[in-house]
Amino acid sequence: MKAAVIDRFGGPEEIYYTDIEKPVPGPDEVLVKNIYIGVGKPDYIMRSGICPFLEVKPPKLVVGNECAGIVEAVGSEVKGIEPGMHVCVNSGLGYGAYAEYIAVPQKFVTVFPDAFPLKYAPGFLNYMVAYALLNEIGRGTDGKSIYIYGAAGGVGTAVIQTALLQGIEVIASAGSQEKCDYIKSLGAHCVFNHKEQDAKEVIMDYTKGRGVDLIFDQLVGKRFASQFEYLADFGMIVIYNWLEGSPELDQLDTIIKQSSHASAVRSFSFHIYDDKPERLAKIRKICMDRIISGEIVPHFYMDLPLSEARKAHELMDGLKIMGKLILHVEEK
Ligand SMILES: NC(=O)c1ccc[n+]([C@@H]2O[C@H](COP(=O)([O-])OP(=O)(O)OC[C@H]3O[C@@H](n4cnc5c(N)ncnc54)[C@H](OP(=O)(O)O)[C@@H]3O)[C@@H](O)[C@H]2O)c1
């Protein structure tokens, strides 16, 4: 079968398209014939060799962690999944998705109703993350407005669409005019270029001095504490990654000084739901229904053939992606 693999960790140039053995499912595994494959940050982490839990190493290591297709076969111990079903794989193994077929343990497979367009399955997780951020993680604020940095990415797009659907005011920023135009086109109420404009000035001006209720922060780092300057009373900063490392100031000290504003900080990983299947199923159903009904239409940046996986990674590393980038398996 065809696959996009690496022989050593490194940049996008390490990815090449080749023939490898088709996998055979073990007793608790599902064999999926892929149609669409998602390109995302975990693939960058795996490709560059900084994934802490990767158990398999190159050579001929198949890149990718998210794919969708049709079940072709199941192992003897698999329950509730049958050949022909539409599924999405979010491989907790961290590899294996950029291929015509993938065999993974059942726990990594989600069944999608036939009414759900399979093309939207890779990237669907972003909508669950967005729902969780807005409705579960961000609870306890006045919840009228949000600010999201780097909003043109996959998660940012999903947060904007979900917030707008729920009647929440959206302030969003991006690092180029093209990305700002894109998030404006999604309907964000206040959009600015965070490389050219000061967040405090824009947000305090837009909110008439009140500040914003919820800030979604994927950077943290040196600028972390400055966000309290434009957070509304009872507001919260939700950390969902720390691309720029830990804050310089002692976090607790900073929060204590904010007590007259009742400010809060919360950090979030979607792994909170790993041992909460019922709560996860509720979020999944709400998000699936919103897409099936057309209330939310996921946005694609590009749909490239699997043979162009290297180009996809060049775009990702160049921070070019707006919305979701997917690959598709070419028909023979
Ligand atoms: N906590 C969780 O459970 C969870 C779940 C999913 C994703 N995440 C995290 O959410 C973040 C967004 O994910 P995504 O899939 O939307 O990513 P994405 O599509 O690559 O978008 C991220 C955006 O962040 C901005 N950015 C600024 N500095 C960056 C840097 N050093 N590296 C990469 N991007 C940078 C870029 O926007 P500009 O060019 O506009 O600055 C980029 O468009 C990632 O950090 C991811 O790890 C967390």
Side-chain angles (χ1 to χ4, degrees):
M1 68 168 185
K2 292 288 185 194
V5 306
I6 52 171
D7 282 345
R8 60 179 178 202
F9 296 123
E13 69 283 356
E14 299 298 339
I15 301 175
Y16 66 99
Y17 187 60
T18 189
D19 286 296
I20 59 165
E21 288 284 304
K22 180 178 170 183
V24 176
D28 72 332
E29 288 189 332
V30 178
L31 178 69
V32 180
K33 184 176 187 331
N34 288 330
I35 299 174
Y36 298 109
I37 296 158
V39 176
K41 198 66 70 194
D43 308 346
Y44 156 80
I45 292 168
M46 175 272 192
R47 187 207 73 215
S48 44
I50 53 174
C51 177
F53 58 81
L54 203 62
E55 286 176 2
V56 181
K57 308 282 178 217
K60 290 257 169 130
L61 179 58
V62 179
V63 187
N65 137 100
E66 182 183 39
C67 47
I70 315 270
V71 176
E72 182 158 293
V74 295
S76 55
E77 293 167 12
V78 171
K79 294 198 170 52
I81 300 181
E82 291 166 14
M85 282 180 164
H86 291 191
V87 293
C88 186
V89 174
N90 287 99
S91 165
L93 305 172
Y95 62 91
Y98 290 15
E100 284 182 286
Y101 293 88
I102 187 170
V104 281
Q106 168 164 18
K107 65 180 176 184
F108 298 132
V109 178
T110 304
V111 175
F112 278 70
D114 289 356
F116 187 98
L118 208 47
K119 194 171 181 175
Y120 295 155
F124 176 69
L125 193 61
N126 287 338
Y127 289 88
M128 296 214 285
V129 169
Y131 181 90
L133 283 171
L134 289 164
N135 298 290
E136 302 225 57
I137 313 308
R139 284 182 305 174
T141 73
D142 283 348
K144 295 188 182 70
S145 57
I146 60 161
Y147 167 49
I148 181 154
Y149 174 102
V155 172
T157 297
V159 166
I160 292 174
Q161 290 181 299
T162 306
L164 292 175
L165 183 70
Q166 295 183 190
I168 297 167
E169 186 137 48
V170 176
I171 304 170
S173 72
S176 71
Q177 188 55 46
E178 192 189 8
K179 287 185 177 180
C180 286
D181 291 344
Y182 165 69
I183 49 184
K184 254 185 225 153
S185 76
L186 293 174
H189 300 99
C190 170
V191 176
F192 66 98
N193 183 330
H194 51 230
K195 289 190 179 145
E196 292 174 356
Q197 283 177 279
D198 179 64
K200 182 182 174 188
E201 258 174 48
V202 176
I203 293 171
M204 293 308 273
D205 184 46
Y206 181 75
T207 59
K208 299 187 174 60
R210 177 183 179 271
V212 65
D213 294 309
L214 255 175
I215 296 175
F216 295 120
D217 186 6
Q218 55 165 310
L219 297 182
V220 189
K222 284 184 189 162
R223 51 177 270 301
F224 176 75
S226 67
Q227 298 175 113
F228 288 105
E229 294 171 15
Y230 46 87
L231 193 62
D233 287 353
F234 303 101
M236 186 190 295
I237 302 171
V238 174
I239 298 169
Y240 65 109
N241 201 349
W242 40 90
L243 294 172
E244 293 183 355
S246 300
E248 263 196 345
L249 296 169
D250 178 270
Q251 194 170 303
L252 189 58
D253 193 45
T254 313
I255 298 168
I256 288 167
K257 286 186 186 139
Q258 289 294 320
S259 57
S260 59
H261 297 287
S263 306
V265 176
R266 197 168 201 173
S267 64
F268 166 69
S269 163
F270 202 71
H271 288 296
I272 181 78
Y273 297 108
D274 286 355
D275 60 353
K276 298 169 187 63
E278 284 172 15
R279 206 158 169 158
L280 183 66
K282 187 189 128 206
I283 295 174
R284 186 183 293 126
K285 167 125 181 49
I286 291 169
C287 295
M288 276 184 183
D289 287 349
R290 285 176 172 180
I291 290 176
I292 290 171
S293 68
E295 280 177 300
I296 284 183
V297 180
H299 178 92
F300 292 109
Y301 172 62
M302 226 177 246
D303 176 356
L304 293 171
L306 175 57
S307 55
E308 293 195 37
R310 181 189 294 181
K311 179 178 171 188
H313 276 234
E314 285 164 357
L315 291 164
M316 178 166 58
D317 282 20
L319 300 182
K320 299 276 188 241
I321 299 173
M322 292 176 275
K324 186 74 184 171
L325 172 56
I326 59 168
L327 303 168
H328 62 266
V329 176
E330 292 102 317
E331 290 291 327
K332 289 212 176 101

